[in-house]
Amino acid sequence: MLIHHKLHNKTCSAFCFLLLFILFSSCNVVKRVKKDEHLITKNTIIEDGKVIKDERINNIIIQKTNSGMNTFFGLPLRLHIYNLARPNIDSIIQAKVLSDSSKVNWKSKLFSKKQFDREINSRKNFNSWLKRTGEAPTILNETKTEKTVNNLRKYYYRKGWFNNTVSYDIKKDSSKRAEVTYNIIKKTPYVLDSITPVISSPLIDSLYPKFMKSSWLKKGEQFDAENYEKERERITAYLRNSGFYYFGQDYIRFNTDTIDTNYKVNTELKIANRSIRNDDSTTVTPFKPYKIKEVNIFTDESFANQNQPIRDSVFYKDYNLYSKNKLRFRPRALTDAVFLNKGDIYSDLARSRTSRYLNDLQMFRYPSIEFIEDSKDTTLTANIYLEPKKKYQLGFDFDVSQSNIQTIGFSVTPGLKIRNVFRGAESIEISGVAAIGASKNRTDDVTSFFDINEYGGNLRLNIPRLFTPFKTDSIIPKYMSPSTAINISTTGQQNIGLDKQTLSGLLSYNWEPSRSVSNTLELFNVQFVKNLNTSNYFGVYSTSFGRLNSIARDINYIDNDESLRDDSLPNRFSPADQFISDVLSGNTSLNNSDDDFIAVNNIEERKQRLTENNLIFSTSFDYKKDKRTNIFDNDFSIFKWHVELAGNLLSNLSEVFGAQPNRDGNYEVFGVVFSQYFKTELDYVKYFDLGGSNIFAFRSYAGIAIPYGNSESIPFAESFFAGGPNDNRAWTAYNLGPGSSRTTNEFNEANFKIHLSAEQRFDLFGDVKGALFVDAGNIWNVLDNVEDNNATLTSFNSLRNIAVGSGFGLRYDFDFFVLRFDTGFKTYNPALSGNRWFREYNFKDAVYNIGINYPF
């Protein structure tokens, strides 16, 4: 009771201090507000008696309250920073320092004249920094309030409430504060009725029934000026894709009639003839569609050779290819990238697809397209100018690193890119990596300082089309920018974990059906992983060794002063392996119902899975739909789907050729049991732009990998983990789960995962931004050989073991990247017994994450 009383007093003291701080801050906000001025502390919009929270409408207000005025207990941080600055710093320094000659002489002698001047300038600079970083108080200006009223009237008018009324009310108090309320009465809305076309050009008029089928203007719907703008853009795009090269939005006008129409809008759609401006006159003529007369491709155009003559030319499938040197590309490699065809009507879509495809080739600098009109008829000549990039491009990266296994490491990554290798716009990328490091856990027999090394190489061939023996144009046409990637890589490690050697190969196809959708089919993905130093397992996974050692001592298998480690043996951990064998074969006092027996069995299962060599032969498909229009778009969604099948081909071939399974009943290829599993992942991210730099971001993720056939478990590289700066930030990477198990393994992983994140992002001051977040999720084992009930998903009841973390973050925006610092608190920890909520919600048990860019 005494402890509770002390804690209660501490809590009350902290709460009282917080209240006093807020009260002080609240009084201080009007520090720079003059006597006859008022600080705007609140804006309210009331629409037909209801308060409106819609940010789109609230953003119409010209005079917004200071940042943070309505958050953090009404604490406007930037305003307080601004108030710390002295408005008359020059006068203050003059009066308190410079005007006192004795003080100036004394300081000049003590610090030197140069240092004294530097101190004066630093005080001025700091005062200027406070003003720049802070935010001046928003002083009530009734002229701006009236402008807001007019803007609100215009907004509701554009939405169909033509007769709306908007008024405002200002409440001022004696403490130099003011609140502004805007009252809106919408009244009866107007709806669309008739749409009458008045089209001057006969050829456009004949297309009217076609291009009006998908109109934004529909009879019976409420008037919305935005739909008229969308309709103007839609009609323009349709006509420019129908050959009307000179058509533009300025030729479309809408006349609306609302006089005595009983709240209905009658619309007249007017499309004028083309105006041709000459030197001293303007000619009006009907619009006519244009056709492509010919297509010329200048393959090596540059500023340096602009005056040189054409020396090489080829006519290929109605395309003229010209070169000022010997033609370096096969004609088809370039014509496949062009969607402008001789005899076709002009199309903006074909032009934009051509530009996009030529850029995707990554062979040319700034491809450009020029159209020249034939004065004798309605035809256009398309000239495509290409400036090739350098054939060879060298790259070199150097990196210094530190990690949990090495005190310091150095790595170099050279690379070479060769363009147009086979004259078909293909490119080859050759890269390597070489790294050395000094390990933290050095043994006595290691003489060299750098005892860690890693080496590897990668060869990648990019082909700007689908490399298949079949014609695929009817399924995946060239406007989808199809491409093929063939990749081969290998790596080797020494004194890193179990010292792996890996060899992988990949054949993948990529295409983009639309601007927002991209697809990737990995037809063959082969990975071979060989562990060279499996005897070092308990050296890497020391927690497992410590658990075994503890159990061996508890059952008197060894004395308390002994260890399962025997440095005199070639295999330093053979005693540990022998202990596992004795336990599982019943040669100790443990039986299979004991918790220690189960723990030893789990350690052995994990050891076998992590030390076995892996051969993965898989096929996968990835679908991505990204609705983000640009880097400034904060109201979008991203959906990703991954599905993968591994081992089916090798399993079928093993049966067809009559291969004999090993003693465990599994097929092997080159002495390695190949993996067989099904894996799928779903990932959805949604951003909501709440206005005023406030963004709410949400992410949901689920993944499962099910072994079957030739496998009882999932390879470590294909399993899931939880925790880390981009996952549940209240746990470090690999530290969460599986399920409610209290494992202390260095790497916790499983084959099923659920993850949810929600984050509110907002401005603090300047380029510093803040965030509040909640993360939830966990990993479990399901349908594999793991038998620990706490780590497996047995039913929906297992979902009560979803871990919850919450916290706050600071981010600094460098324009080209964001530096992120997040603090995560364990809010609900499924590994705890009894009450799991808020037991570790403190800074001592918090996890601090540093990351680059946002977590999702």
Short mmCIF file of all heavy atoms in Angstrom, two decimals, residues 334-380:
data_model
loop_
_atom_site.label_atom_id
_atom_site.label_comp_id
_atom_site.label_asym_id
_atom_site.label_seq_id
_atom_site.Cartn_x
_atom_site.Cartn_y
_atom_site.Cartn_z
N LEU A 334 14.92 -0.91 -82.47
CA LEU A 334 14.40 0.44 -82.34
C LEU A 334 12.94 0.54 -82.78
O LEU A 334 12.14 1.22 -82.14
CB LEU A 334 15.26 1.42 -83.14
CG LEU A 334 16.74 1.48 -82.73
CD1 LEU A 334 17.49 2.49 -83.59
CD2 LEU A 334 16.89 1.83 -81.26
N THR A 335 12.59 -0.12 -83.87
CA THR A 335 11.21 -0.01 -84.35
C THR A 335 10.22 -0.67 -83.39
O THR A 335 9.06 -0.26 -83.33
CB THR A 335 11.08 -0.64 -85.74
OG1 THR A 335 11.48 -2.03 -85.69
CG2 THR A 335 11.96 0.08 -86.75
N ASP A 336 10.67 -1.67 -82.64
CA ASP A 336 9.78 -2.27 -81.64
C ASP A 336 9.42 -1.29 -80.54
O ASP A 336 8.42 -1.47 -79.83
CB ASP A 336 10.44 -3.51 -81.01
CG ASP A 336 10.24 -4.75 -81.86
OD1 ASP A 336 9.51 -4.67 -82.87
OD2 ASP A 336 10.80 -5.81 -81.51
N ALA A 337 10.23 -0.24 -80.38
CA ALA A 337 9.97 0.75 -79.34
C ALA A 337 9.12 1.91 -79.84
O ALA A 337 8.79 2.81 -79.07
CB ALA A 337 11.29 1.29 -78.79
N VAL A 338 8.75 1.88 -81.12
CA VAL A 338 7.99 2.99 -81.72
C VAL A 338 6.56 2.55 -81.98
O VAL A 338 6.32 1.51 -82.61
CB VAL A 338 8.67 3.46 -83.03
CG1 VAL A 338 7.86 4.55 -83.70
CG2 VAL A 338 10.09 3.93 -82.74
N PHE A 339 5.61 3.35 -81.52
CA PHE A 339 4.18 3.05 -81.69
C PHE A 339 3.54 3.94 -82.74
O PHE A 339 2.33 3.88 -82.95
CB PHE A 339 3.46 3.21 -80.35
CG PHE A 339 3.91 2.22 -79.31
CD1 PHE A 339 5.03 2.46 -78.54
CD2 PHE A 339 3.22 1.03 -79.10
CE1 PHE A 339 5.46 1.56 -77.58
CE2 PHE A 339 3.65 0.11 -78.15
CZ PHE A 339 4.76 0.38 -77.39
N LEU A 340 4.34 4.78 -83.37
CA LEU A 340 3.86 5.62 -84.47
C LEU A 340 4.09 4.86 -85.77
O LEU A 340 5.23 4.54 -86.11
CB LEU A 340 4.62 6.95 -84.48
CG LEU A 340 4.49 7.80 -83.21
CD1 LEU A 340 5.55 8.89 -83.19
CD2 LEU A 340 3.10 8.41 -83.11
N ASN A 341 3.02 4.56 -86.48
CA ASN A 341 3.11 3.75 -87.69
C ASN A 341 2.68 4.55 -88.92
O ASN A 341 1.73 5.35 -88.85
CB ASN A 341 2.23 2.50 -87.56
CG ASN A 341 2.64 1.63 -86.39
OD1 ASN A 341 3.79 1.24 -86.27
ND2 ASN A 341 1.68 1.34 -85.52
N LYS A 342 3.36 4.32 -90.00
CA LYS A 342 3.02 4.97 -91.26
C LYS A 342 1.60 4.61 -91.68
O LYS A 342 1.21 3.45 -91.66
CB LYS A 342 4.01 4.53 -92.34
CG LYS A 342 3.78 5.16 -93.70
CD LYS A 342 4.84 4.71 -94.69
CE LYS A 342 4.62 5.35 -96.05
NZ LYS A 342 5.66 4.94 -97.04
N GLY A 343 0.80 5.63 -92.02
CA GLY A 343 -0.59 5.41 -92.43
C GLY A 343 -1.59 5.48 -91.30
O GLY A 343 -2.80 5.62 -91.55
N ASP A 344 -1.15 5.41 -90.02
CA ASP A 344 -2.07 5.52 -88.88
C ASP A 344 -2.45 6.98 -88.66
O ASP A 344 -1.68 7.90 -88.98
CB ASP A 344 -1.43 4.99 -87.61
CG ASP A 344 -1.33 3.47 -87.61
OD1 ASP A 344 -1.84 2.84 -88.57
OD2 ASP A 344 -0.73 2.92 -86.67
N ILE A 345 -3.63 7.18 -88.07
CA ILE A 345 -4.00 8.54 -87.68
C ILE A 345 -3.14 8.94 -86.48
O ILE A 345 -2.68 8.09 -85.71
CB ILE A 345 -5.49 8.65 -87.34
CG1 ILE A 345 -5.86 7.73 -86.16
CG2 ILE A 345 -6.36 8.34 -88.55
CD1 ILE A 345 -7.28 7.95 -85.64
N TYR A 346 -2.92 10.25 -86.33
CA TYR A 346 -2.10 10.72 -85.22
C TYR A 346 -2.78 10.38 -83.89
O TYR A 346 -4.01 10.46 -83.74
CB TYR A 346 -1.90 12.23 -85.30
CG TYR A 346 -1.28 12.79 -84.05
CD1 TYR A 346 0.09 12.71 -83.84
CD2 TYR A 346 -2.08 13.34 -83.04
CE1 TYR A 346 0.66 13.19 -82.67
CE2 TYR A 346 -1.51 13.82 -81.87
CZ TYR A 346 -0.15 13.74 -81.68
OH TYR A 346 0.40 14.20 -80.53
N SER A 347 -1.96 10.03 -82.89
CA SER A 347 -2.47 9.68 -81.56
C SER A 347 -1.49 10.15 -80.50
O SER A 347 -0.30 9.83 -80.54
CB SER A 347 -2.67 8.17 -81.44
OG SER A 347 -2.95 7.79 -80.11
N ASP A 348 -2.00 10.93 -79.53
CA ASP A 348 -1.18 11.34 -78.39
C ASP A 348 -0.70 10.13 -77.60
O ASP A 348 0.41 10.11 -77.06
CB ASP A 348 -1.99 12.26 -77.46
CG ASP A 348 -1.69 13.73 -77.72
OD1 ASP A 348 -0.89 14.03 -78.62
OD2 ASP A 348 -2.26 14.58 -77.01
N LEU A 349 -1.57 9.13 -77.52
CA LEU A 349 -1.23 7.92 -76.77
C LEU A 349 -0.04 7.21 -77.40
O LEU A 349 0.87 6.76 -76.70
CB LEU A 349 -2.44 6.99 -76.70
CG LEU A 349 -2.27 5.71 -75.89
CD1 LEU A 349 -1.94 6.03 -74.44
CD2 LEU A 349 -3.53 4.85 -75.98
N ALA A 350 -0.03 7.11 -78.74
CA ALA A 350 1.09 6.46 -79.43
C ALA A 350 2.38 7.25 -79.22
O ALA A 350 3.46 6.68 -79.05
CB ALA A 350 0.78 6.32 -80.91
N ARG A 351 2.26 8.58 -79.23
CA ARG A 351 3.44 9.41 -79.00
C ARG A 351 4.01 9.21 -77.59
O ARG A 351 5.22 9.03 -77.41
CB ARG A 351 3.08 10.89 -79.21
CG ARG A 351 4.22 11.84 -78.92
CD ARG A 351 3.73 13.29 -78.87
NE ARG A 351 2.63 13.46 -77.94
CZ ARG A 351 2.76 13.54 -76.62
NH1 ARG A 351 3.97 13.45 -76.07
NH2 ARG A 351 1.71 13.69 -75.84
N SER A 352 3.13 9.23 -76.57
CA SER A 352 3.61 9.08 -75.19
C SER A 352 4.16 7.68 -74.94
O SER A 352 5.15 7.52 -74.21
CB SER A 352 2.47 9.40 -74.21
OG SER A 352 1.40 8.49 -74.35
N ARG A 353 3.54 6.65 -75.55
CA ARG A 353 4.06 5.29 -75.39
C ARG A 353 5.44 5.15 -76.02
O ARG A 353 6.32 4.47 -75.50
CB ARG A 353 3.09 4.28 -76.01
CG ARG A 353 1.86 4.00 -75.16
CD ARG A 353 0.91 3.07 -75.87
NE ARG A 353 -0.19 2.67 -74.99
CZ ARG A 353 -1.26 1.97 -75.40
NH1 ARG A 353 -1.35 1.59 -76.67
NH2 ARG A 353 -2.19 1.65 -74.54
N THR A 354 5.64 5.82 -77.16
CA THR A 354 6.95 5.78 -77.81
C THR A 354 8.01 6.41 -76.93
O THR A 354 9.10 5.85 -76.74
CB THR A 354 6.88 6.50 -79.17
OG1 THR A 354 5.91 5.85 -80.00
CG2 THR A 354 8.23 6.48 -79.85
N SER A 355 7.70 7.56 -76.36
CA SER A 355 8.66 8.24 -75.47
C SER A 355 8.98 7.38 -74.27
O SER A 355 10.14 7.26 -73.86
CB SER A 355 8.10 9.59 -75.03
OG SER A 355 7.97 10.48 -76.12
N ARG A 356 7.95 6.77 -73.70
CA ARG A 356 8.15 5.95 -72.50
C ARG A 356 9.01 4.73 -72.82
O ARG A 356 9.95 4.41 -72.07
CB ARG A 356 6.80 5.51 -71.95
CG ARG A 356 6.88 4.54 -70.79
CD ARG A 356 5.52 3.99 -70.47
NE ARG A 356 5.59 2.84 -69.58
CZ ARG A 356 4.58 2.03 -69.33
NH1 ARG A 356 3.42 2.22 -69.92
NH2 ARG A 356 4.72 1.01 -68.51
N TYR A 357 8.71 4.05 -73.91
CA TYR A 357 9.44 2.83 -74.26
C TYR A 357 10.91 3.15 -74.55
O TYR A 357 11.82 2.46 -74.11
CB TYR A 357 8.80 2.16 -75.46
CG TYR A 357 9.09 0.68 -75.58
CD1 TYR A 357 8.07 -0.25 -75.63
CD2 TYR A 357 10.39 0.21 -75.65
CE1 TYR A 357 8.32 -1.61 -75.74
CE2 TYR A 357 10.67 -1.14 -75.76
CZ TYR A 357 9.62 -2.06 -75.81
OH TYR A 357 9.90 -3.39 -75.92
N LEU A 358 11.16 4.24 -75.28
CA LEU A 358 12.53 4.62 -75.60
C LEU A 358 13.32 4.97 -74.34
O LEU A 358 14.51 4.66 -74.23
CB LEU A 358 12.54 5.79 -76.58
CG LEU A 358 12.09 5.47 -78.01
CD1 LEU A 358 11.90 6.74 -78.82
CD2 LEU A 358 13.11 4.55 -78.70
N ASN A 359 12.66 5.59 -73.36
CA ASN A 359 13.32 5.88 -72.09
C ASN A 359 13.58 4.60 -71.31
O ASN A 359 14.63 4.47 -70.65
CB ASN A 359 12.47 6.84 -71.25
CG ASN A 359 12.67 8.29 -71.65
OD1 ASN A 359 13.76 8.84 -71.48
ND2 ASN A 359 11.63 8.91 -72.17
N ASP A 360 12.64 3.65 -71.36
CA ASP A 360 12.80 2.40 -70.64
C ASP A 360 13.98 1.58 -71.16
O ASP A 360 14.55 0.77 -70.42
CB ASP A 360 11.52 1.56 -70.72
CG ASP A 360 10.40 2.14 -69.86
OD1 ASP A 360 10.69 2.99 -69.00
OD2 ASP A 360 9.23 1.75 -70.05
N LEU A 361 14.36 1.78 -72.42
CA LEU A 361 15.50 1.05 -72.96
C LEU A 361 16.81 1.42 -72.27
O LEU A 361 17.75 0.63 -72.25
CB LEU A 361 15.64 1.33 -74.47
CG LEU A 361 14.57 0.75 -75.39
CD1 LEU A 361 14.84 1.18 -76.83
CD2 LEU A 361 14.51 -0.77 -75.28
N GLN A 362 16.85 2.64 -71.70
CA GLN A 362 18.05 3.14 -71.02
C GLN A 362 19.27 3.13 -71.93
O GLN A 362 20.40 2.88 -71.50
CB GLN A 362 18.33 2.34 -69.74
CG GLN A 362 17.21 2.43 -68.73
CD GLN A 362 17.53 1.71 -67.43
OE1 GLN A 362 18.69 1.44 -67.14
NE2 GLN A 362 16.52 1.41 -66.64
N MET A 363 19.02 3.35 -73.21
CA MET A 363 20.10 3.41 -74.20
C MET A 363 20.38 4.83 -74.66
O MET A 363 21.46 5.09 -75.22
CB MET A 363 19.73 2.58 -75.44
CG MET A 363 19.60 1.09 -75.19
SD MET A 363 21.20 0.29 -75.03
CE MET A 363 20.90 -0.75 -73.61
N PHE A 364 19.44 5.76 -74.43
CA PHE A 364 19.53 7.08 -75.03
C PHE A 364 19.33 8.18 -73.99
O PHE A 364 18.66 7.99 -72.97
CB PHE A 364 18.49 7.24 -76.15
CG PHE A 364 18.50 6.12 -77.15
CD1 PHE A 364 17.55 5.11 -77.10
CD2 PHE A 364 19.49 6.06 -78.12
CE1 PHE A 364 17.56 4.07 -78.01
CE2 PHE A 364 19.51 5.02 -79.04
CZ PHE A 364 18.55 4.02 -78.99
N ARG A 365 19.89 9.35 -74.29
CA ARG A 365 19.69 10.54 -73.46
C ARG A 365 18.53 11.35 -74.04
O ARG A 365 18.58 11.78 -75.19
CB ARG A 365 20.93 11.42 -73.45
CG ARG A 365 22.13 10.80 -72.75
CD ARG A 365 23.24 11.85 -72.64
NE ARG A 365 24.44 11.31 -72.02
CZ ARG A 365 25.44 10.76 -72.67
NH1 ARG A 365 25.38 10.69 -74.00
NH2 ARG A 365 26.49 10.30 -72.03
N TYR A 366 17.52 11.56 -73.25
CA TYR A 366 16.40 12.45 -73.59
C TYR A 366 15.89 12.26 -75.02
O TYR A 366 16.02 13.16 -75.88
CB TYR A 366 16.82 13.92 -73.40
CG TYR A 366 17.58 14.17 -72.14
CD1 TYR A 366 18.91 14.61 -72.18
CD2 TYR A 366 16.99 13.96 -70.89
CE1 TYR A 366 19.63 14.83 -71.01
CE2 TYR A 366 17.70 14.19 -69.73
CZ TYR A 366 19.02 14.62 -69.79
OH TYR A 366 19.72 14.84 -68.63
N PRO A 367 15.30 11.12 -75.34
CA PRO A 367 14.72 10.94 -76.68
C PRO A 367 13.65 12.01 -76.95
O PRO A 367 12.88 12.36 -76.05
CB PRO A 367 14.10 9.54 -76.60
CG PRO A 367 14.79 8.86 -75.47
CD PRO A 367 15.12 9.93 -74.49
N SER A 368 13.62 12.52 -78.16
CA SER A 368 12.64 13.56 -78.51
C SER A 368 11.94 13.20 -79.82
O SER A 368 12.50 12.51 -80.67
CB SER A 368 13.32 14.93 -78.64
OG SER A 368 14.27 14.92 -79.70
N ILE A 369 10.68 13.68 -79.94
CA ILE A 369 9.87 13.40 -81.13
C ILE A 369 9.37 14.73 -81.68
O ILE A 369 8.82 15.56 -80.95
CB ILE A 369 8.67 12.49 -80.79
CG1 ILE A 369 9.16 11.21 -80.11
CG2 ILE A 369 7.88 12.17 -82.05
CD1 ILE A 369 8.04 10.32 -79.63
N GLU A 370 9.54 14.93 -82.98
CA GLU A 370 9.11 16.16 -83.65
C GLU A 370 8.15 15.79 -84.78
O GLU A 370 8.39 14.83 -85.53
CB GLU A 370 10.33 16.89 -84.21
CG GLU A 370 9.98 18.14 -85.01
CD GLU A 370 11.19 18.72 -85.71
OE1 GLU A 370 12.01 17.92 -86.24
OE2 GLU A 370 11.31 19.94 -85.75
N PHE A 371 7.05 16.54 -84.90
CA PHE A 371 6.08 16.32 -85.98
C PHE A 371 6.09 17.52 -86.92
O PHE A 371 5.99 18.67 -86.48
CB PHE A 371 4.67 16.13 -85.40
CG PHE A 371 4.52 14.86 -84.59
CD1 PHE A 371 4.69 14.87 -83.22
CD2 PHE A 371 4.21 13.67 -85.21
CE1 PHE A 371 4.56 13.71 -82.47
CE2 PHE A 371 4.08 12.50 -84.48
CZ PHE A 371 4.26 12.52 -83.10
N ILE A 372 6.21 17.23 -88.21
CA ILE A 372 6.25 18.28 -89.24
C ILE A 372 5.06 18.10 -90.17
O ILE A 372 4.85 17.02 -90.74
CB ILE A 372 7.57 18.23 -90.03
CG1 ILE A 372 8.76 18.42 -89.08
CG2 ILE A 372 7.57 19.28 -91.13
CD1 ILE A 372 10.10 18.27 -89.76
N GLU A 373 4.27 19.15 -90.32
CA GLU A 373 3.07 19.10 -91.15
C GLU A 373 3.43 19.29 -92.62
O GLU A 373 4.27 20.14 -92.97
CB GLU A 373 2.09 20.18 -90.71
CG GLU A 373 0.81 20.21 -91.55
CD GLU A 373 -0.09 21.37 -91.18
OE1 GLU A 373 0.31 22.19 -90.31
OE2 GLU A 373 -1.19 21.48 -91.76
N ASP A 374 2.79 18.50 -93.47
CA ASP A 374 2.92 18.67 -94.92
C ASP A 374 1.91 19.73 -95.36
O ASP A 374 0.71 19.59 -95.13
CB ASP A 374 2.65 17.34 -95.64
CG ASP A 374 3.05 17.39 -97.11
OD1 ASP A 374 2.81 18.43 -97.76
OD2 ASP A 374 3.58 16.38 -97.61
N SER A 375 2.41 20.78 -95.96
CA SER A 375 1.52 21.89 -96.33
C SER A 375 0.53 21.54 -97.42
O SER A 375 -0.46 22.25 -97.63
CB SER A 375 2.37 23.09 -96.78
OG SER A 375 3.20 22.71 -97.89
N LYS A 376 0.76 20.42 -98.12
CA LYS A 376 -0.11 20.05 -99.24
C LYS A 376 -1.30 19.20 -98.82
O LYS A 376 -2.29 19.11 -99.54
CB LYS A 376 0.70 19.31 -100.30
CG LYS A 376 1.84 20.13 -100.88
CD LYS A 376 2.64 19.31 -101.89
CE LYS A 376 3.80 20.11 -102.44
NZ LYS A 376 4.63 19.30 -103.39
N ASP A 377 -1.19 18.53 -97.68
CA ASP A 377 -2.28 17.66 -97.25
C ASP A 377 -2.29 17.58 -95.72
O ASP A 377 -1.54 18.29 -95.04
CB ASP A 377 -2.14 16.26 -97.86
CG ASP A 377 -0.77 15.65 -97.57
OD1 ASP A 377 -0.13 16.06 -96.57
OD2 ASP A 377 -0.32 14.77 -98.34
N THR A 378 -3.16 16.73 -95.20
CA THR A 378 -3.27 16.60 -93.72
C THR A 378 -2.45 15.40 -93.26
O THR A 378 -2.98 14.42 -92.75
CB THR A 378 -4.74 16.45 -93.31
OG1 THR A 378 -5.31 15.34 -94.03
CG2 THR A 378 -5.53 17.70 -93.59
N THR A 379 -1.14 15.49 -93.46
CA THR A 379 -0.25 14.42 -93.01
C THR A 379 0.88 15.02 -92.17
O THR A 379 1.19 16.21 -92.26
CB THR A 379 0.36 13.64 -94.19
OG1 THR A 379 1.11 14.54 -95.03
CG2 THR A 379 -0.74 12.97 -95.00
N LEU A 380 1.48 14.16 -91.35
CA LEU A 380 2.57 14.56 -90.47
C LEU A 380 3.75 13.63 -90.67
O LEU A 380 3.58 12.43 -90.83
CB LEU A 380 2.14 14.50 -89.00
CG LEU A 380 0.98 15.39 -88.55
CD1 LEU A 380 0.54 14.99 -87.15
CD2 LEU A 380 1.39 16.86 -88.59
#
